Amino acid sequence: MFGKKKNRTAVVIGLGEFGLHLALNLSKCGCDCIVADIDAGKIDSIKNFVMKAVIADASQKNALYQIVPADADFVIIALGNIESSITAALYLKDMKIQNVYVKAISEEHERILKMMEVRNIIFPEKDMGQRFATKLMSNNLLDFLPLSEDYSVAELAPLSSMANKSLKEIDFRKEYNLSVIAIKELVPPNIVISPSAGFKIKISDILIVLGKKEAVEAYNQKTH
């Protein structure tokens, strides 16, 4: 008999607006979420919605060691104080925690984190501003999600020349240097994961692609 699948464990440090909403949504997604903040009021407001809520100063080494389990799947530092954020990130590196995400507060904070070789830096305001500006100025780009400095996942509108043609006929990957990982069909509503080469595109479809940002930008410059 198969055992019950273990839920993923996340630790959110800092319950500002970003940390609070992140923790609540992780819990809604079935994640075992541990949260920590120095503010007792914030801990009290969320304690009934997460697995564990701790009043603690995460910039203190002993407190951090007690908060973060060794087998945590990922830890998100969402502190509003740069010094505390950097200190917590340093201690987590000492603990050999693999998946650490740190919210950057400023360009200088981001630079310091990069110097510390923190691989996963979150800059919510900057990323959202870039994402929204790109969306407003795009011809064919419906939405996109940066994965790294070079790669992103994007939702693209098909070009009119693609209507009723298969991915093979278009030779999509070779022509646009992008991989179609899924297709959202709007009529009728459906999503096709890893569509076959014979899948015929309708003009109402949405193409979900993976590739380099410059390839997405080049596609966006195409006219219908």
Side-chain angles (χ1 to χ4, degrees):
M1 182 180 291
F2 294 103
K4 184 180 178 182
K5 186 177 179 181
K6 179 183 177 294
N7 290 343
R8 303 187 77 183
T9 301
V11 182
V12 178
I13 299 170
L15 293 176
E17 187 173 355
F18 173 72
L20 175 67
H21 288 289
L22 178 63
L24 290 172
N25 280 287
L26 284 169
S27 291
K28 286 179 182 177
C29 292
C31 188
D32 289 338
C33 193
I34 301 168
V35 300
D37 196 283
I38 201 168
D39 188 324
K42 291 179 178 178
I43 291 297
D44 190 59
S45 69
I46 198 175
K47 65 183 181 182
N48 294 327
F49 302 97
V50 296
M51 185 181 77
K52 184 178 180 182
V54 183
I55 303 170
D57 181 357
S59 66
Q60 300 299 312
K61 189 172 185 177
N62 290 338
L64 196 63
Y65 274 61
Q66 291 177 17
I67 296 164
V68 181
D71 62 348
D73 292 288
F74 38 86
V75 181
I76 304 95
I77 301 173
L79 295 168
N81 179 280
I82 293 177
E83 184 178 350
S84 296
S85 173
I86 291 168
T87 303
L90 184 63
Y91 290 150
L92 287 171
K93 286 178 73 71
D94 289 343
M95 292 171 67
K96 309 297 184 186
I97 302 296
Q98 294 299 313
N99 295 315
V100 178
Y101 296 79
V102 185
K103 176 190 172 184
I105 300 163
S106 65
E107 299 283 351
E108 291 76 15
H109 188 196
E110 183 180 29
R111 287 177 61 191
I112 293 169
L113 292 170
K114 286 181 177 179
M115 290 172 65
M116 292 172 61
E117 298 184 350
V118 175
R119 290 179 296 175
N120 304 307
I121 301 172
I122 312 163
F123 212 143
E125 294 84 1
K126 179 181 175 181
D127 292 344
M128 183 55 71
Q130 177 187 0
R131 184 174 178 178
F132 189 54
T134 303
K135 189 173 180 178
L136 287 174
M137 297 301 293
S138 296
N139 295 322
N140 309 309
L141 180 64
L142 303 177
D143 203 356
F144 84 107
L145 175 66
L147 295 179
S148 68
E149 291 186 2
D150 298 320
Y151 287 86
S152 64
V153 173
E155 290 188 352
L156 304 176
L159 305 178
S160 57
S161 59
M162 297 177 181
N164 300 315
K165 290 184 179 178
S166 69
L167 292 171
K168 184 177 181 179
E169 288 176 292
I170 298 166
D171 204 359
F172 196 96
R173 186 170 186 175
K174 183 177 180 180
E175 182 70 20
Y176 302 106
N177 294 312
L178 295 166
S179 298
V180 179
I181 58 176
I183 294 178
K184 284 185 185 178
E185 296 182 288
L186 300 183
V187 185
N190 185 37
I191 185 163
V192 179
I193 306 296
S194 299
S196 68
F199 185 96
K200 290 198 172 183
I201 295 173
K202 302 181 290 297
I203 204 65
S204 59
D205 290 341
I206 296 174
L207 311 177
I208 303 175
V209 304
L210 169 65
K212 287 194 171 183
K213 290 180 180 178
E214 55 261 35
V216 174
E217 291 169 2
Y219 182 95
N220 183 50
Q221 299 305 314
K222 303 287 183 181
T223 60
H224 286 260

